[in-house]
Amino acid sequence: MVLDDKLMVERMKIEDEERRLKSELERAKRDKMKQLQESMKTQQEVNVKFVQAAAERETKLAEIERERRLRHLAEDEARRKADEVMELEKAAELEKMSEIADMDQMIADARSWRQQQERERQGMVEEERRRYILEVSGG
């Protein structure tokens, strides 16, 4: 009986050791899974920050480009206005110097042309404004 008891005790020690090893293995698996999940979470956070930074950069570049276009439109408009003023001054001088009968018709034609140009410029400015609104609204 003593031998059977020794075998039984030995078998119980083996079973206890197997159980302890299985428990350690499961704990190691859980720890590894937790590390992997944390690593994936960290990577995802890094990716999100990268995408956000890229989006912010693109937004800033788009804003810079929009401001640049608007500045160019304003500069072009100022040049056109200066040209228009110069044209008006020339027309006034011609009117003083010349008493040609059709001068009034020529001035009316020039004004009509400038108004058409102004409408076209306004149309361009309005189109740029619409594009800007679409850009800002996410379109």
Side-chain angles (χ1 to χ4, degrees):
M1 283 246 184
V2 174
L3 186 57
D4 284 342
D5 288 344
K6 283 184 179 182
L7 284 174
M8 189 168 82
V9 168
E10 197 57 38
R11 205 175 18 219
M12 288 187 339
K13 284 181 182 179
I14 291 171
E15 286 174 1
D16 288 347
E17 183 64 18
E18 285 176 353
R19 187 176 173 102
R20 186 187 64 76
L21 288 173
K22 282 181 183 179
S23 178
E24 282 182 22
L25 182 61
E26 287 298 318
R27 186 173 49 252
K29 284 181 183 179
R30 281 193 306 272
D31 290 347
K32 187 68 174 173
M33 184 58 77
K34 186 176 179 182
Q35 283 179 334
L36 181 61
Q37 287 172 341
E38 288 175 2
S39 174
M40 289 171 64
K41 181 181 176 187
T42 301
Q43 184 62 43
Q44 183 179 12
E45 289 170 355
V46 167
N47 290 344
V48 165
K49 286 180 182 178
F50 177 78
V51 168
Q52 286 174 338
E56 288 174 11
R57 181 178 178 276
E58 288 299 318
T59 299
K60 286 178 184 176
L61 288 175
E63 179 63 21
I64 289 168
E65 180 61 24
R66 184 192 70 78
E67 288 174 5
R68 181 176 162 266
R69 286 180 186 171
L70 291 175
R71 186 179 66 247
H72 288 175
L73 285 172
E75 290 169 356
D76 292 347
E77 183 65 19
R79 256 187 249 105
R80 284 188 204 91
K81 291 285 186 185
D83 290 347
E84 186 177 314
V85 168
M86 191 168 31
E87 287 178 32
L88 288 172
E89 289 172 353
K90 284 181 185 178
E93 186 63 30
L94 283 176
E95 196 171 342
K96 283 181 193 175
M97 294 172 56
S98 176
E99 295 187 14
I100 300 171
D102 63 346
M103 182 57 75
D104 289 340
Q105 183 61 44
M106 290 172 59
I107 291 172
D109 290 346
R111 276 194 195 113
S112 176
W113 178 81
R114 285 190 300 271
Q115 288 172 350
Q116 176 61 32
Q117 292 296 310
E118 181 63 26
R119 284 191 294 273
E120 290 175 14
R121 285 191 295 271
Q122 290 297 327
M124 288 171 31
V125 169
E126 181 62 24
E127 181 62 30
E128 179 62 26
R129 185 184 71 77
R130 283 190 208 111
R131 276 187 267 172
Y132 170 70
I133 289 171
L134 286 174
E135 286 177 20
V136 169
S137 66

